[in-house]
């Protein structure tokens, strides 16, 4: 009769561990899905900003007479593969250059197309800030799971790594 109790205790402990394992694994999967959604959202906003800045090159060239290359950084981006982090940094440089043209050339302020691009860039700013915050919040929770015991056992088993902010 004692062996029956040992078997029953073993089965209960195994079931509890299995339920914990499945629950923790599903937690990781939930965060991975949310991280991918956030990255996709950020990517679409950055692509929108890139497209706006790319359109502005033609508008700037059509409205002002300038000899040097306009937003050279955007032209170089057309053929490169970058991470969202790199693209975001480069786009901020291009947006600053865009605003310098706006400040230095009065005729651009009269161009309806240029104004629409400026409005589009300004409207995308709160979107990118909110998306970054959402992404960083999810990454914080995910990284906690990767680092803390006992969920770090699952992270090591499935080779989940800490993700950057």
């Amino acid at each position: 009769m004692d062996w029956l109790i040992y078997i029953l205790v073993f089965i209960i402990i195994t079931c509890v561990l299995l339920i914990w394992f499945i629950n923790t694994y599903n937690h990781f999967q939930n965060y991975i899905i949310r991280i991918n959604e956030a990255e996709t959202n950020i990517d679409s906003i950055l692509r929108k900003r890139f497209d706006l800045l790319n359109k502005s090159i033609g508008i700037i060239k059509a409205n002002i007479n300038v000899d040097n290359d306009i937003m050279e950084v955007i032209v170089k981006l057309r053929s490169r593969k970058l991470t969202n982090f790199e693209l975001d940094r480069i786009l901020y440089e291009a947006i600053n250059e865009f605003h310098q043209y706006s400040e230095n050339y009065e005729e651009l302020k009269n161009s309806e197309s240029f104004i629409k691009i400026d409005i589009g860039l300004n409207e995308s700013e709160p979107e990118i800030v909110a998306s970054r915050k959402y992404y960083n919040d999810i990454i914080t929770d995910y990284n906690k799971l990767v680092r803390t015991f006992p969920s770090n056992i699952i992270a090591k088993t499935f080779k989940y790594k800490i993700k950057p902010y």
Side-chain angles (χ1 to χ4, degrees), residues 87-148:
L87 181 60
D88 188 36
R89 183 184 50 77
I90 292 170
L91 287 178
Y92 265 107
E93 292 173 17
I95 289 170
N96 288 336
E97 186 177 343
F98 174 85
H99 288 299
Q100 287 175 353
Y101 281 107
S102 175
E103 291 170 7
N104 295 337
Y105 297 96
E106 192 65 36
E107 53 266 42
L108 289 174
K109 293 178 182 176
N110 298 328
S111 169
E112 188 176 324
S113 301
F114 189 85
I115 292 170
K116 285 181 181 177
I117 289 173
D118 190 33
I119 291 169
L121 289 171
N122 289 334
E123 287 174 349
S124 70
E125 185 62 28
E127 291 176 36
I128 195 77
V129 168
S131 293
R132 266 194 226 114
K133 182 179 178 347
Y134 178 69
Y135 176 82
N136 286 337
D137 290 346
I138 294 169
I139 291 296
T140 299
D141 293 341
Y142 171 84
N143 287 344
K144 284 179 187 175
L145 272 179
V146 170
R147 287 195 171 172
T148 58

Side-chain angles (χ1 to χ4, degrees), residues 3-160:
W3 61 272
L4 192 57
I5 293 174
Y6 291 130
I7 291 175
L8 188 61
V9 168
F10 176 76
I11 290 172
I12 291 172
I13 290 173
T14 304
C15 287
V16 167
L17 286 174
L18 187 61
I19 290 170
W20 167 81
F21 181 87
I22 291 169
N23 187 39
T24 305
Y25 177 80
N26 286 339
H27 242 91
F28 273 108
Q29 293 306 307
N30 183 31
Y31 280 114
I32 290 169
I33 290 168
R34 290 172 61 199
I35 289 167
N36 289 338
E37 287 173 353
E39 286 174 344
T40 301
N41 192 24
I42 289 171
D43 187 49
S44 70
I45 295 168
L46 292 176
R47 194 170 311 277
K48 175 183 169 185
R49 287 179 135 193
F50 174 80
D51 290 343
L52 287 169
L53 289 168
N54 200 20
K55 287 178 187 176
S56 73
I57 294 171
I59 295 168
I60 292 170
K61 285 181 179 179
N63 284 290
I64 63 171
N65 187 11
V66 67
D67 292 333
N68 58 347
D69 289 332
I70 297 171
M71 286 195 247
E72 198 172 312
V73 79
I74 293 296
V75 174
K76 289 179 182 175
L77 282 180
R78 291 177 184 162
S79 61
R80 290 178 56 196
K81 287 280 187 188
L82 299 172
T83 65
N84 282 346
F85 301 110
E86 294 168 322
L87 181 60
D88 188 36
R89 183 184 50 77
I90 292 170
L91 287 178
Y92 265 107
E93 292 173 17
I95 289 170
N96 288 336
E97 186 177 343
F98 174 85
H99 288 299
Q100 287 175 353
Y101 281 107
S102 175
E103 291 170 7
N104 295 337
Y105 297 96
E106 192 65 36
E107 53 266 42
L108 289 174
K109 293 178 182 176
N110 298 328
S111 169
E112 188 176 324
S113 301
F114 189 85
I115 292 170
K116 285 181 181 177
I117 289 173
D118 190 33
I119 291 169
L121 289 171
N122 289 334
E123 287 174 349
S124 70
E125 185 62 28
E127 291 176 36
I128 195 77
V129 168
S131 293
R132 266 194 226 114
K133 182 179 178 347
Y134 178 69
Y135 176 82
N136 286 337
D137 290 346
I138 294 169
I139 291 296
T140 299
D141 293 341
Y142 171 84
N143 287 344
K144 284 179 187 175
L145 272 179
V146 170
R147 287 195 171 172
T148 58
F149 181 81
S151 61
N152 64 350
I153 296 168
I154 306 293
K156 287 178 184 174
T157 302
F158 291 99
K159 297 180 177 133
Y160 296 141

